[in-house]
Amino acid sequence: MAKVELERMMCISCGNCIDICPDFFEFADDGLSHLKALENTEETEEIEIEDPSCCTQAEELCPVSIIHVYD
């Protein structure tokens, strides 16, 4: 399992993570990126997933480096 962490409060709403990995990321009502698997938005969000490949791509292309994937 891999852990994906999203530091929402530093999001600039570029949409790269959503374009690359729409199964895991979406814009929340506040216009910031959000992990779909979570019901409520938090300042920092974390989920565990089996295959982090698209999240790793989102991590690499995030211009403000707020996505972190840990094995």
Side-chain angles (χ1 to χ4, degrees):
M1 292 289 270
K3 181 173 84 170
V4 178
E5 180 182 87
L6 174 65
E7 298 175 76
R8 293 188 71 248
M9 301 318 293
M10 295 175 21
C11 179
I12 61 170
S13 303
C14 72
N16 284 355
C17 58
I18 297 165
D19 291 341
I20 294 163
C21 201
D23 289 341
F24 292 98
F25 296 94
E26 66 184 356
F27 282 125
D29 291 339
D30 60 7
L32 303 177
S33 186
H34 165 68
L35 290 168
K36 283 184 169 184
L38 302 176
E39 188 171 313
N40 298 313
T41 58
E42 303 287 333
E43 286 188 21
T44 301
E45 298 181 344
E46 293 180 7
I47 58 169
E48 287 192 1
I49 58 174
E50 292 283 333
D51 180 10
S53 57
C54 77
C55 292
T56 301
Q57 283 184 295
E59 176 185 34
E60 292 169 1
L61 294 176
C62 177
V64 289
S65 301
I66 63 165
I67 300 168
H68 311 285
V69 180
Y70 305 101
D71 287 325

